[in-house]
Amino acid sequence: MARNVSTGRKLITTVVAWTIGILIFFPILWTFLTSFKTEAQAIASPPVFLFFDWTTENYSEVQSRSDYLKHFMNSVVVSFGSTLLGLLIAIPSAWAMAFSPTKRTKDVLMWMLSTKMMPPVGVLVPMYLIFRNWGLLDTRTGLVIVLTLINLPIIIWMLYTYFKEIPGEILEAARMDGASLTKEIIYVLTPMAIPGIASTLLLNIILAWNEAFWTLNLSAAKAAPLTAFIASYSSPEGLFYAKLSAASTMAIAPILILGWFSQKQLVRGLTFGAVK
């Protein structure tokens, strides 16, 4: 039976939700507005919000100084490539842990998650030397590999959670009908977990797109993604806030648009299996 919620409570909940939403969104809005200011207006005190001389000069200068499309394509290849490679590895792994568990399965899951707790700088030197010796330094292939490895625990954990919500009887019925292990995963398990797989894919694309530590340290010019594109506007002479804001807006706009159009699928996947 549904509970009756008072109008006052609805109003308070709405106000609180909008307040939190505005606080979260305000830095993005401020970055967007600053990208249309001059450098003098960007550092003005008190700051100017809407009433300033709007200009697109920062975007023109950013594009003339840096090859945005090259960095953009690097980000697309690295984020989508690492996520798809991670899914190819994680789907069989999560299937094995969800439907053929051993007494060590939970220990393995905790060990994988614990690797995310280690500061990345702790393994920077050996990773740098491995990449240099194997010719992977400043290559898209190298970045795809390293981002796959650092996000793989999250992908496996998310898929394991979704797969656990699928009744094992369905897979047993497929085996009785003669389905091989490969067909069971491809034609039975994967279609049933599409919402969970889709949300995992979207979340890890966002994580890979925003990864800065490894992309800044393992790339230079050829494979540099948009994170390096943004960092190039921080110089010893100081920060050029207007140009930095323009570069940041150009870097985050694609992933914001992707998130906006896929929000329904993302929410559906994150709540997959929550209601039975």
Side-chain angles (χ1 to χ4, degrees):
M1 184 176 178
R3 294 183 301 173
N4 291 326
V5 181
S6 65
T7 304
R9 186 171 181 179
K10 287 181 180 178
L11 181 62
I12 293 173
T13 302
T14 302
V15 171
V16 171
W18 271 98
T19 302
I20 294 174
I22 291 171
L23 288 175
I24 294 173
F25 180 70
F26 184 77
I28 299 175
L29 176 61
W30 186 257
T31 300
F32 175 75
L33 292 175
T34 304
S35 68
F36 290 97
K37 300 176 182 178
T38 63
E39 290 295 344
Q41 291 170 335
I43 60 174
S45 183
V48 290
F49 188 62
L50 291 173
F51 304 103
F52 56 86
D53 299 324
W54 291 66
T55 177
T56 59
E57 180 184 349
N58 297 314
Y59 289 94
S60 301
E61 190 165 342
V62 165
Q63 180 57 31
S64 63
R65 172 177 164 179
S66 307
D67 189 349
Y68 171 77
L69 289 178
K70 174 185 174 183
H71 292 86
F72 172 77
M73 287 307 302
N74 286 339
S75 285
V76 170
V77 171
V78 169
S79 56
F80 281 80
S82 63
T83 301
L84 292 176
L85 179 59
L87 285 176
L88 289 176
I89 299 171
I91 289 176
S93 302
W95 174 90
M97 293 182 182
F99 299 107
S100 300
T102 67
K103 57 183 179 180
R104 294 290 184 184
T105 296
K106 290 187 177 179
D107 295 334
V108 173
L109 286 168
M110 287 304 300
W111 170 77
M112 286 192 299
L113 194 61
S114 69
T115 61
K116 297 292 294 179
M117 303 175 189
M118 181 181 66
V121 70
V123 292
L124 174 60
V125 173
M127 286 294 291
Y128 183 88
L129 294 176
I130 290 172
F131 271 55
R132 186 192 65 182
N133 295 337
W134 288 5
L136 294 173
L137 204 60
D138 196 21
T139 63
R140 291 176 175 178
T141 303
L143 291 181
V144 166
I145 292 172
V146 74
L147 292 183
T148 299
L149 293 176
I150 66 174
N151 288 329
L152 192 59
I154 296 176
I155 301 176
I156 292 178
W157 258 93
M158 291 184 68
L159 292 180
Y160 169 79
T161 303
Y162 298 133
F163 289 172
K164 287 291 287 183
E165 299 296 332
I166 297 175
E169 292 79 5
I170 296 178
L171 299 182
E172 291 177 5
R175 292 170 197 160
M176 292 179 65
D177 288 339
S180 63
L181 178 60
T182 304
K183 290 183 178 180
E184 178 185 324
I185 294 176
I186 296 176
Y187 296 111
V188 181
L189 178 68
T190 303
M192 293 185 65
I194 284 295
I197 293 174
S199 64
T200 303
L201 183 142
L202 292 170
L203 181 61
N204 282 274
I205 286 175
I206 294 171
L207 290 175
W209 189 280
N210 294 329
E211 174 60 38
F213 180 83
W214 291 110
T215 54
L216 289 175
N217 285 288
L218 297 179
S219 66
K222 294 192 234 176
L226 287 171
T227 46
F229 169 75
I230 297 173
S232 66
Y233 287 88
S234 174
S235 65
E237 292 80 15
L239 292 175
F240 298 95
Y241 288 102
K243 296 176 184 61
L244 180 60
S245 297
S248 299
T249 301
M250 294 171 72
I252 65 176
I255 206 67
L256 284 177
I257 294 171
L258 175 65
W260 176 265
F261 284 105
S262 60
Q263 59 181 320
K264 186 181 292 187
Q265 182 62 48
L266 186 58
V267 172
R268 182 185 173 197
L270 292 176
T271 57
F272 176 67
V275 179
K276 294 185 179 179

